[in-house]
Amino acid sequence: MGAVVLVAIVGPFAGGPSDAFTSGTLDRSSSVGVADDANALVGLDVSSSVAAGSSSRLVTVTNQFENTVTATVSLQGSPGSLSNAQATLAPGESLTTSVSVDCDSPPDTVSFTVSATDRSRVTATATRETAVDTSDCLATTGPFVFRSGSATTGSFSGPGGTSTGSLEFSMQNTASTANTIVGFELEKAGTATALSFDGPPPVNVEAGKDEVYIDANGGPTDSEGAAEASKNDPGYDIGTGTTYTLDQSVTVDAGETASVAFYQFVSNGQPDGFTTGDEVVVTFSLQDGSESTVLVTV
């Protein structure tokens, strides 16, 4: 979290409009605290960084003054979009503004200005900036985007009755056209090294659909895709750069959300699961020859 900064106006703001001082522009660094300033107008709690590829909190503005103020947050030449960027705040009330920064050419920092006006008579402004975290963009390319918070983990009965790890999540086709998934590569899945392992025939979730199952059923065309290891196949390796073809391809319509399930995670032949914070990176091969890499956070 960034330091709480109190933006102050110099002058008799509480006593009524001032002809001599109608605008206060403050240039204080966001690391400077002036909590003991008797003329403090608004408090700014600036996030230490914002994440590209999603919406995240940028700043919380708190009315520290005794009168109602209108607070407005605006970007200063930085790409992105704001949500909840303006509010009328009674004394003690706060406004929390979020920013969305796209992963396509994200900036190093986001610069923004906060202004607070008391009945349009006096305005205080302060310009701040915060860093942009692009770590989630490094594993996110193409039309498919992980729906934050949709990942669920569990256990699944594997060969010989052992309990292996499972993962389900949702992703959205953000393109304006349908995309057909024909293959997949698991680049990373926590500490797992493969899906399934050599043994008896796998336990089917549905007939012909086992280790990998993709269900796209919210668009004009319902479609399912799957991949299943054969009896003598040790499964699907993770982190080896190997792309596997789906036994049944799946078409995800434009804007449609598809559910993805992986079953029977193992680590060097032993059952393996997930803990909170683990990352899964999967690259989907598309019918047109392109790829889409999705980063899933458990």
Side-chain angles (χ1 to χ4, degrees):
M1 299 289 288
V4 175
V5 181
L6 300 181
V7 182
I9 283 183
V10 179
F13 187 73
S18 169
D19 294 333
F21 190 85
T22 58
S23 179
T25 302
L26 293 98
D27 218 1
R28 291 192 177 99
S29 166
S30 61
S31 63
V32 176
V34 287
D36 56 350
D37 191 331
N39 294 316
L41 174 63
V42 289
L44 303 184
D45 182 1
V46 182
S47 291
S48 58
S49 66
V50 294
S54 62
S55 176
S56 51
R57 190 186 73 87
L58 175 64
V59 62
T60 299
V61 183
T62 302
N63 180 11
Q64 303 279 108
F65 192 55
E66 61 185 15
N67 291 345
T68 296
V69 300
T70 298
T72 304
V73 182
S74 56
L75 293 175
Q76 295 298 304
S78 298
S81 59
L82 298 176
S83 60
N84 199 35
Q86 185 179 67
T88 299
L89 306 176
E93 290 185 337
S94 298
L95 164 70
T96 296
T97 299
S98 297
V99 64
S100 295
V101 179
D102 197 89
C103 276
D104 293 335
S105 301
D108 293 329
T109 61
V110 167
S111 178
F112 62 97
T113 293
V114 179
S115 64
T117 303
D118 173 43
R119 301 190 187 96
S120 299
R121 297 177 302 182
V122 180
T123 299
T125 63
T127 298
R128 299 287 184 265
E129 67 176 20
T130 192
V132 176
D133 181 359
T134 60
S135 59
D136 285 355
C137 295
L138 301 179
T140 302
T141 60
F144 291 103
V145 175
F146 167 62
R147 296 193 67 182
S148 180
S150 68
T152 58
T153 61
S155 59
F156 185 75
S157 178
T162 56
S163 180
T164 58
S166 67
L167 171 70
E168 297 184 29
F169 65 91
S170 295
M171 64 182 186
Q172 185 176 23
N173 177 14
T174 61
S176 59
T177 58
N179 278 282
T180 298
I181 301 172
V182 297
F184 69 98
E185 174 196 346
L186 276 164
E187 299 183 22
K188 179 182 179 182
T191 58
T193 59
L195 282 176
S196 189
F197 54 97
D198 198 13
V203 179
N204 291 325
V205 178
E206 295 185 22
K209 304 176 179 67
D210 197 3
E211 283 84 9
V212 183
Y213 177 51
I214 306 173
D215 184 14
N217 59 14
T221 304
D222 289 348
S223 184
E224 296 173 291
E228 180 178 1
S230 64
K231 178 178 179 180
N232 297 318
D233 190 335
Y236 303 106
D237 291 330
I238 298 171
T240 62
T242 304
T243 297
Y244 298 96
T245 301
L246 290 176
D247 298 326
Q248 179 178 307
S249 62
V250 55
T251 297
V252 186
D253 292 311
E256 183 180 14
T257 297
S259 60
V260 181
F262 291 106
Y263 298 97
Q264 299 192 105
F265 283 99
V266 296
S267 177
N268 299 313
Q270 299 301 314
D272 192 55
F274 294 95
T275 58
T276 301
D278 281 345
E279 293 184 343
V280 175
V281 179
V282 55
T283 295
F284 295 100
S285 301
L286 307 183
Q287 193 173 48
D288 63 2
S290 64
E291 295 182 333
S292 182
T293 300
V294 178
L295 169 64
V296 178
T297 301
V298 176

